[in-house]
Every structure is written in structure tokens, then in C-alpha cells.
Amino acid sequence: RIADTDPSLRQRLHENSTRLWNGLRERLDAKHLDAARHRAHHIVPVIIGDARQTVSIGERLFEKGFLVGAIRPPTVPEGTSRLRLTVSASHMSAEIDELTSLLAAELGN
């Protein structure tokens, strides 16, 4: 009902999704992004590969105030562990920018 009565929320989600995707594309190596499947969606997987590294990065981001899912085997195939980033209409631009910067630093980009 809320989305039906306030279309600005849907627009804000689209803007935030685009900001997240663009920030990731600018700051991360292409190997971490599945560009063909996940353009400007509100859920974006960031491929890390190693399960332990994925969990470790997820924990460090959590310590800095960002809750991201660390998806690893058996949920995904071995060697394809990933962080699951989710953006909403309520996120602020500065929060999205900080997340992409922190993630780039974690991945050495």
C-alpha cells in the first residue's frame, strides 16, 4: 500500500540502486561484479571467491555499521562466495558511497 500511495519511494529506490551499482563499477575490479545479470538492482552480489575472506570482510563491514550477507557454500558453488548487498529507499547517498569505498579498500582496489 505504501508503494502505491507514495511513488517517490520507488523512485528513491531506483536512484539508490543506480548509485550503488555505479559506485561498485567505479571502485571494484570487474571480476567482483556480474555485470550481465545485476545492473542497478537493489540486491547486488559482490563475488569474493574464498569463503573465509567473504565472511571476514562481512564481519569488518558489520563492525563499521554495514550489515551485508556473506553467502558461501553450500548455498553457492565452491569458489564463488559473495557478499550480498541490499539497498533500500531509506539509505542515504553518503551511506552508499561509504560502503562502496570501504568495500574497495577491503578488496585492495
Side-chain angles (χ1 to χ4, degrees):
R1 289 183 309 199
I2 293 171
D4 287 336
T5 59
D6 188 357
S8 70
L9 292 175
R10 196 170 307 139
Q11 178 60 31
R12 179 76 178 146
L13 175 60
H14 176 72
E15 291 167 2
N16 283 348
S17 297
T18 299
R19 185 177 200 93
L20 175 62
W21 179 249
N22 288 340
L24 292 170
R25 285 185 46 224
E26 291 171 9
R27 292 178 174 97
L28 301 185
D29 292 334
K31 68 181 179 182
H32 297 294
L33 301 173
D34 186 352
R37 296 183 55 208
H38 299 285
R39 293 182 308 272
H41 291 254
H42 70 283
I43 300 172
V44 179
V46 176
I47 310 300
I48 306 299
D50 180 75
R52 285 188 183 148
Q53 183 184 16
T54 302
V55 171
S56 180
I57 292 172
E59 289 171 350
R60 286 193 298 276
L61 290 173
F62 180 76
E63 290 169 2
K64 294 178 180 175
F66 294 95
L67 180 60
V68 299
I71 313 301
R72 55 208 183 276
T75 306
V76 294
E78 196 70 44
T80 67
S81 293
R82 63 205 61 198
L83 296 173
R84 184 178 191 258
L85 309 182
T86 306
V87 68
S88 74
S90 64
H91 285 110
M92 305 301 293
S93 296
E95 293 170 322
I96 296 167
D97 295 344
E98 183 181 1
L99 174 60
T100 57
S101 292
L102 288 170
L103 192 50
E106 286 288 339
L107 295 172
N109 294 103

